[in-house]
Every structure is written in structure tokens, then in C-alpha cells.
Amino acid sequence: MAKENVQMDDGAAGKRVFFRRRRGCPLEGTPDTEINYKNLKLIARFISEGGRILPSRITSVSAKRQRQVKKQIKIARNLALLPFVAK
Amino acid sequence: MPLYESTFIARQDISTQEVENLTKQFSQIVEDNGGKVLKKEYWGLRNLAYPIRKNRKGHYVMLALDTPPAVLKEMERNLKIHDDILRNVSIRVEEIQDGPSFMMNNRGDYQESRYSAANSNDEE
């Protein structure tokens, strides 16, 4: 499948922030308490330049962690700690 | 009793002293009705990632609570009515972390200059 080669041409500016890692989940081993809406340093790694949540096929996050991160990003957005849309 | 973290944002125009009073007021509601306030944190006057009701900054206060849900609901109701409170979010947590939360150390800052409403007019 051409999936891996075409991966980076996804169009919208800002989706290319991170290289696609071939290795495992970057959040492997972080305790659940660290995936927290308050922990902006960690959470902000998973949003794009435009403020959009990055898909796990780009960040290689495991599915479970992706769900946790997604939830915390959404909470942080509501608290104006992260933007919904950024220029 | 379930554990909650409730965070609210107060308008930028009010003074820190008034924020303190607000915090006390809402803690009082919880304690009077049988709940406990485990932690009170003031994150300071932070830039908001987007303007809320024309405010670009806000006072953030976080409370960690151990209360019955009905009391939480009552507190939220009061938060909603109050004019000085812009937003509040309460979530249920499994456990409350000891010590200061991420916001009090550096973890809570990342690229503030990029994502703050107060700076957005300077770009382009």
C-alpha cells in the first residue's frame, strides 16, 4: 500500500509538525496522572500548529493514550488553556 | 464521596483580593453542605487562549473537592450565576495529586506567547 509514502501530503498546513515515528508510543510509560489537562507541556505536543488534535498515525501514540490525550485536550480547550483554532 | 477538581476563571478586572473572597465564598458553599475542600490553588492572572466575553486574561482558581454530587451541583449553579466568573469546569477524578499541581510548576507553561489572546493582535 502506498499509505506510508503518501502520509505526509495531507494538505492542511500544520499537520506536518512531527515526523512519523516508526518506534512505539511516545507516551509509553508515562503514568496516567501525567496525562492531565493541567500538564500543558505534555498535552501541547499533540496539537498541531493550527490547534488541531494530531491523529495517532502521525504521532504514533497508542490508542488508549490517544483517547486520554484527546479528552484532556478538550478539557483544556474549554478552560482556555489551549485554543480551539490558532492562526 | 467522589473527588472532583473544579476550576473557574474570573474576570481580569477584579483584584486578587476579590478573587480570594470569591474562592472563600464558593469553598464556604461546599463546606456548609457537608463537603470538603482539599486543595485550593490560584494559578494567577493568565492569558487566555481565546477571548472570553472580551477578556483576554483571567484569574484561574482550582479547587479539589471531596463532596457529594448534589453539593457540587449547587456550587456550579452559583458559579454560573455569578457575573464575575467567566467559565467553570468541574471534572470527577479518581484521586487528587499531592502537592502543587502542574500549573504551579513550569509544566503549565509551554508556549504562552503563541496561544494567548492577549498577543493575537500583534501578529501579521
Side-chain angles (χ1 to χ4, degrees):
Chain A
M1 277 221 264
K3 205 165 115 183
E4 290 196 6
N5 294 337
V6 185
Q7 197 58 21
M8 290 306 187
D9 298 338
D10 267 341
K15 277 199 180 170
R16 282 239 250 145
V17 182
F18 295 108
F19 286 123
R20 188 186 185 198
R21 290 193 219 197
R22 303 304 174 85
R23 296 162 229 139
C25 169
L27 286 180
E28 177 92 45
T30 51
D32 283 349
T33 50
E34 290 216 0
I35 302 184
N36 197 306
Y37 64 97
K38 301 192 275 305
N39 193 353
L40 295 179
K41 236 186 194 168
L42 185 79
I43 301 288
R45 282 164 51 192
F46 298 97
I47 59 176
S48 74
E49 295 250 340
R52 301 159 88 175
I53 301 178
L54 289 169
S56 56
R57 59 188 163 80
I58 293 194
T59 60
S60 301
V61 181
S62 73
K64 179 177 167 195
R65 297 271 187 234
Q66 175 73 1
R67 289 194 300 272
Q68 291 172 334
V69 166
K70 194 176 74 169
K71 182 163 191 206
Q72 300 300 321
I73 290 178
K74 290 182 178 179
I75 295 175
R77 280 175 172 174
N78 267 313
L79 279 176
L81 298 168
L82 287 178
F84 285 92
V85 178
K87 290 240 172 29
Chain B
M1 287 191 287
L3 302 170
Y4 298 99
E5 278 183 7
S6 184
T7 314
F8 64 84
I9 311 178
R11 259 184 337 119
Q12 69 190 50
D13 298 332
I14 68 182
S15 71
T16 324
Q17 185 54 41
E18 290 178 43
V19 176
E20 273 266 342
N21 293 341
L22 279 179
T23 318
K24 278 211 192 77
Q25 188 184 330
F26 293 115
S27 309
Q28 205 57 38
I29 299 181
V30 171
E31 302 203 340
D32 287 346
N33 290 307
K36 270 182 295 185
V37 178
L38 300 172
K39 232 208 257 190
K40 262 189 251 193
E41 272 188 15
Y42 175 59
W43 297 346
L45 186 67
R46 290 178 63 104
N47 283 328
L48 302 176
Y50 48 87
I52 300 180
R53 289 204 225 153
K54 312 283 195 303
N55 292 283
R56 290 164 184 276
K57 296 192 191 210
H59 297 273
Y60 280 81
V61 177
M62 185 196 89
L63 301 171
L65 309 167
D66 182 5
T67 80
V71 177
L72 179 76
K73 203 154 185 205
E74 175 62 23
M75 187 185 88
E76 285 187 320
R77 191 186 68 88
N78 283 310
L79 284 168
K80 249 202 215 173
I81 307 175
H82 203 288
D83 287 335
D84 283 340
I85 308 266
L86 300 175
R87 200 161 279 193
N88 72 296
V89 172
S90 308
I91 59 175
R92 184 173 162 171
V93 290
E94 306 276 307
E95 50 166 28
I96 310 259
Q97 293 179 306
D98 289 330
S101 72
F102 292 113
M103 286 302 199
M104 305 298 275
N105 338 335
N106 275 338
R107 306 275 208 105
D109 296 331
Y110 59 114
Q111 297 142 327
E112 278 219 309
S113 53
R114 252 171 87 195
Y115 289 139
S116 28
N119 289 346
S120 60
N121 286 334
D122 300 351
E123 289 167 61
E124 295 172 55

